Amino acid sequence: MRRIVSIFQRDLYSSLRDNLFLYMLLMPLLLAIGLRFFLPSAQSASLQYALNKSIGKEVITEFEKYGRVEIYNTDEEIIRRVNQIGDIAGITQNEAGEYQIILEGNEGHDTEAIPQKILRDITRENRFIVDYQFTDLGTVRAPTAVYGTIFLVLTVILAGGMVIGFNIIEEKENRTLKALSVSPVTRWEYVLGRSLIGILLPVFQVYLILLILGIWDVNLWMVLLTTLVSTSMALLVGFFIGGVSTNQLGGIANLKAVFLLLVLPVVGALMLPEEKHIFLYWAPTYWTFTAFKGIILKTIDWIRLSIQIGGLLTTVTIAFLLLKERMRKGLIS
Amino acid sequence: MFRRYFSLLRKDILSAWRNYFFLVVAVLALIFAGLIRFLVPEEITIKPEAYYFNEYQEAMEWTLRNIVTDEEYQSEKFHKVDSREAVISGMRANLNSIGIVIKAGQTQPVIELIFHGFENQSVRNLLKISIQDNLNRVLGDNIDFETIILKENLNIKTIAANKSIVPIFLMSEAALVGFIVIAAFIFMEKDEGTLRAYQVSPGRTPEYLAAKISLMIILGWVHTVILVPLTIGVHVNWLPLIMIVTLGSIVSSSLGLIVASFFQNLSQAIVWIIAGNMLLGLPMVSYFVPSFAPAYIQMMPTYPILFGIREALFTTNNTGMIRATYMILAAQAILTFLLAVITYKRQLVRD
């Protein structure tokens, strides 16, 4: 136990001395602050229209209800704008005073169809009168906020593992690792001592992210449990990269390959329908993603969370058993 | 100077080859090609699910029943349910959804539009106007206003969803590969003492960095020439594509060098490199949501890279845009390379 704590202390002092600890705290803090500023503008994204000033203030005001409006003085300016990157519909009038819509030709369906509807609404009386009522369910957290938060949380958890991995590679290059083999420190003591910082730091980072993003009204015990268990995945990644890589360049090469395996299931969880998620069950990041999604949306109870945690632990264990020998050889060579 | 540059480049290529970098880049390109061709569907839609309940039984009930038969909703995303509670229940299970309940009012029908709460006012207004427009069209009001298509002769609307993500992979793996990898090269040579030995050689810092950046360009080319033919085919604008990947590699590698120059080892730098990579990936949001392109995203160096690559792959004959992309990236490449040289000269003096 004393040797484990000693290795942990050595890691901690080394991190403090190299400012690594500070960077590991600053990075999620800055990203969370950036995300906090990014989210409102992302949530206010809407259709865009380039209007000729000559169509009149009334029409311009009407279009402003349905998206972002840019005003231009001539049709040539509108054409130049429409030809630029991004979906934007140009609105103008011909010499006979009839409205015209200008499109590049590669816009999405809404950019094509919505200006027609707005112009019809402006120019004619409604044939069928109905009353409209708007109701809100009270969910103020948009999908961008939820998924942005989860990606950030996953990043900081995995970043801890990557730092451990590159630290191991550095020790291999400096032959510190070889020196440990003639010390009384056993392999498991070394692994546990190295892992402590990768287990404790992400907990603090995740809470910091949730606090900055204003997502503090969730079950914090669930957050703690999920974060602690997810660090096992990060540690596996770290020890795998550290174990199989002989130098930093090899570490980066392995990191690229491993990252693909970790990120793709999360993208799949977002894009694929629920019935196809069975193809993602092999990935630890899938279980972490769905657990945090349930926690933030408050749609998960302890029983469902334990299924996610079980899935995560099972996949990490299987991966560990498959890679154990390779990692062991890499750490002692 | 050129002899020294080519000598350094040869050394770096050998180093990358021996560390399986070319293999990793090639295998990643093959994996992405496989994903694009066999896993990612040709049609992906992020349209919201719609839950609909009609309890209106009075006059014009048939008309109201047809208000949501817009072609968008004749799909598995449109769910007719038996009660208002079922509408709400369906919506609570899916953040990307809306609810429509039609009921009788005192003098005329009421259409209740149910939202989650985070939707902005223009989204709400758009749904209302879409429904009203459908109602009018069902009653025979079918006037369409003249639409002028600027590039009518080009078949540019038929890009399948799976192929449309190829520019994303090219940006992140071909153009941005240098942002992460070059730091590893530098730190490895620093630990080996190569950097210090180089200081007492006749070689200059710009040659040293140019050789590293050239390797990143070559890795970007390898990724591009494997991925593009296997996914899009060979009939793309190869010259602009290779130019943009090249200029993008110079910019991203130089940025990677600048970031790495502030740190002593890769462990310190990796967290900032990851953060930088996330920031540089922000233009992907604008790529998928074309209406979202604020100034701070357009200013990212990856914004012109991403859309320039798209124009090169799925041409709309927008030569003005390609020229503008070259100019922006060339300027960024020169500026970032000069900054990288300055920061490395200072670092070498400090060490």
Side-chain angles (χ1 to χ4, degrees), chain A residues 132-163:
Chain A
Y132 289 91
Q133 201 176 71
F134 292 92
T135 304
D136 277 351
L137 296 183
T139 308
V140 293
R141 224 160 264 156
T144 40
V146 174
Y147 300 132
T149 304
I150 299 173
F151 272 115
L152 193 51
V153 162
L154 271 170
T155 302
V156 299
I157 291 174
L158 289 170
M162 287 174 211
V163 170

Side-chain angles (χ1 to χ4, degrees), chain A residues 156-217:
Chain A
V156 299
I157 291 174
L158 289 170
M162 287 174 211
V163 170
I164 290 173
F166 283 101
N167 276 341
I168 292 172
I169 294 172
E170 210 181 311
E171 287 186 348
K172 267 180 166 179
E173 287 176 330
N174 298 338
R175 304 199 191 285
T176 316
L177 217 54
K178 269 207 160 79
L180 276 171
S181 59
V182 297
S183 76
V185 175
T186 66
R187 203 165 53 241
W188 283 112
E189 285 170 344
Y190 173 77
V191 166
L192 280 168
R194 265 259 116 107
S195 303
L196 277 174
I197 203 165
I199 294 170
L200 299 174
L201 191 58
V203 172
F204 179 74
Q205 290 170 317
V206 168
Y207 279 131
L208 188 64
I209 288 168
L210 293 179
L211 187 64
I212 291 170
L213 293 174
I215 305 177
W216 200 245
D217 55 337

Side-chain angles (χ1 to χ4, degrees), chain A residues 18 41 46 100-101 103-105 112 116 120 127-128 131-133 135-137 139 167 247-248, chain B residues 19 111-113 115-116 124 132-133 139 143-146 148 150-151 157 191 267-268 291 296:
Chain A
D18 291 345
S41 61
S46 53
Q100 291 175 316
I101 298 166
L103 300 171
E104 189 179 3
E112 277 187 57
Q116 293 277 356
R120 279 195 285 268
R127 287 196 175 201
F128 195 110
D131 281 334
Y132 289 91
Q133 201 176 71
T135 304
D136 277 351
L137 296 183
T139 308
N167 276 341
N247 57 36
Q248 297 187 46
Chain B
N19 284 285
I111 298 180
E112 184 187 10
L113 302 176
F115 297 94
H116 283 278
R124 295 160 192 252
Q132 188 62 56
D133 191 69
L139 291 174
I143 295 174
D144 280 331
F145 294 88
E146 186 191 358
I148 300 167
L150 298 173
K151 291 170 181 166
K157 292 168 66 68
D191 287 343
S267 306
Q268 288 180 341
S291 55
Y296 64 86

Side-chain angles (χ1 to χ4, degrees), chain B residues 126-137:
Chain B
L126 282 168
L127 181 60
K128 179 184 163 190
I129 203 178
S130 292
I131 292 173
Q132 188 62 56
D133 191 69
N134 282 345
L135 272 172
N136 291 333
R137 285 171 86 81

Side-chain angles (χ1 to χ4, degrees), chain A residues 10-23:
Chain A
R10 178 184 149 267
D11 256 359
L12 186 61
Y13 292 146
S14 169
S15 301
L16 285 167
R17 192 187 56 227
D18 291 345
N19 294 323
L20 181 57
F21 200 75
L22 178 67
Y23 299 150

